[in-house]
Amino acid sequence: MMTLGTDRVNKVDRLAELTARRDGDAEGASLLRETFGRLRRSPMALSGAVIVGAFLFVAVIAPFVAPYEPGAQLWGREVMPNQNVFVGPRAENWFGLDHLGRDQLSRMLVGARNSLLVGVVATLLGFTVGAMLGGVAGAAVSLGRAWGRRLDAVIMRFIDMMLAIPALLIAVSIAAILGPSLPTVMVAVGLAQVPIFARLLRGSMLAQSHSDYVLAATALGVRRPRIVRSHILPNSLGPVIVQATLTLATAIIEAAALSYLGFGNPDPATPDWGAMLADAQRFLVGAPELAMYPAVAIIITALGFTLLGEAMRESLDPKLRK
């Protein structure tokens, strides 16, 4: 009798798994097509995609199209910042020269590559650590056991402590401890984003745990750990991935802020939009364009990622679809 009962449970478990997988694949493909269809019809998504695409294109080809070495002071004798003498845009220097006689266009192009590297690595770090913490907490609660609720309480109280401190303050504190460098900026900005991803994934998993398909799988005898691993977690990742797009814009801004405060790459020959903005603030009267170029680049890039992320969120969330 025990063997017969076990075989029956295994067959029901296998049938539920195959049915859920088949239905999930069909619905997932349909949802993906519908989402891309709405994005193609959204002016906000198209605008964000154009800006992000242009930024990515420039960042990738920057070392190959930059007209000069970004750290070379080839025209140092032509600029005298102490006497308020600067060189503006001209034929050989489309964006003019900075206060040390370096080509501003070359520094802007290569600076885009560094900003993209810092933003992507920091976002991936925050996403990975936050998803691990939020996934463990959400899975612990979804399993519905006493030890799971205690584990969730411990993890979320730690996340609440991080949320009580402003993200930029956390990033500045980490950067001050580790010292100025490019990896420091990545780690500082990434860890500051951990609470956002952790709470978002946990909340999404808790919402999914009360869905009809979870109740149906439970009624069919599918084990709770398998439901959490194969159904609740995959269906909860959508909002987190969209948030990663929005967070990438914030990461670029915060990375520029840390470089502006002096926590970025200590090598002055390596261009960085935040460091360029910090250097230019001393010459706002004589050469305001030195600050305008990196500031506008940061604003437009962040705007592009924000528009694209908001459009993705509206396309994936039924409550926000028009």
Side-chain angles (χ1 to χ4, degrees), residues 5-312:
T6 303
D7 293 340
R8 182 177 299 175
V9 171
N10 291 335
K11 290 180 180 179
V12 172
D13 192 14
R14 180 60 177 170
L15 178 60
E17 180 184 359
L18 293 175
T19 304
R21 184 183 302 174
R22 184 170 57 252
D23 294 342
D25 290 344
E27 293 178 1
S30 177
L31 177 62
L32 186 62
R33 287 195 297 267
E34 292 179 1
T35 300
F36 277 110
R38 283 188 292 269
L39 289 176
R40 286 195 299 266
R41 296 189 298 268
S42 172
M44 181 169 60
L46 294 177
S47 301
V50 170
I51 296 175
V52 171
F55 173 66
L56 295 178
F57 179 74
V58 170
V60 171
I61 69 172
F64 308 103
V65 300
Y68 305 101
E69 177 66 30
Q73 303 177 19
L74 301 178
W75 298 273
R77 296 182 179 180
E78 299 185 28
V79 295
M80 292 176 284
N82 294 332
Q83 301 178 17
N84 202 24
V85 176
F86 296 91
V87 176
R90 58 185 184 181
E92 59 268 35
N93 308 109
W94 290 4
F95 283 9
L97 305 176
D98 68 356
H99 63 289
L100 296 178
R102 298 172 295 191
D103 183 62
Q104 189 74 350
L105 175 59
S106 300
R107 295 182 62 79
M108 286 294 301
L109 292 175
V110 179
R113 187 186 186 95
N114 294 332
S115 298
L116 176 63
L117 177 63
V118 172
V120 170
V121 173
T123 302
L124 287 177
L125 177 62
F127 175 84
T128 303
V129 178
M132 289 177 59
L133 293 176
V136 171
V141 176
S142 299
L143 291 175
R145 298 173 182 173
W147 65 267
R149 290 190 292 270
R150 288 195 294 267
L151 178 60
D152 170 70
V154 172
I155 294 177
M156 298 317 298
R157 296 299 76 77
F158 172 74
I159 296 299
D160 290 341
M161 291 173 57
M162 296 186 66
L163 283 174
I165 307 174
L168 186 58
L169 182 58
I170 295 178
V172 170
S173 302
I174 296 174
I177 295 174
L178 298 179
S181 67
L182 194 62
T184 294
V185 175
M186 298 176 183
V187 173
V189 176
L191 293 182
Q193 306 296 337
V194 166
I196 299 175
F197 292 110
R199 290 201 67 91
L200 182 60
L201 181 57
R202 174 186 177 271
S204 182
M205 291 184 67
L206 293 183
Q208 290 290 334
S209 63
H210 300 288
S211 300
D212 293 338
Y213 70 87
V214 174
L215 298 177
T218 303
L220 289 174
V222 181
R223 297 179 181 86
R224 193 70 179 181
R226 179 173 296 180
I227 295 176
V228 174
R229 182 178 65 253
S230 302
H231 301 289
I232 295 179
L233 181 59
N235 284 286
S236 303
L237 289 176
V240 184
I241 296 175
V242 173
Q243 181 62 38
T245 306
L246 297 171
T247 304
L248 188 56
T250 306
I252 293 175
I253 295 176
E254 291 182 352
L258 290 179
S259 298
Y260 179 85
L261 296 175
F263 294 107
N265 195 332
D267 184 8
T270 303
D272 181 270
W273 287 349
M276 293 171 63
L277 189 59
D279 293 336
Q281 69 176 349
R282 298 176 293 168
F283 314 110
L284 290 178
V285 177
E289 67 275 6
L290 296 182
M292 181 185 67
Y293 294 142
V296 171
I298 293 172
I299 293 173
I300 293 179
T301 302
L303 176 63
F305 282 107
T306 301
L307 291 176
L308 185 59
E310 287 291 339
M312 291 175 61

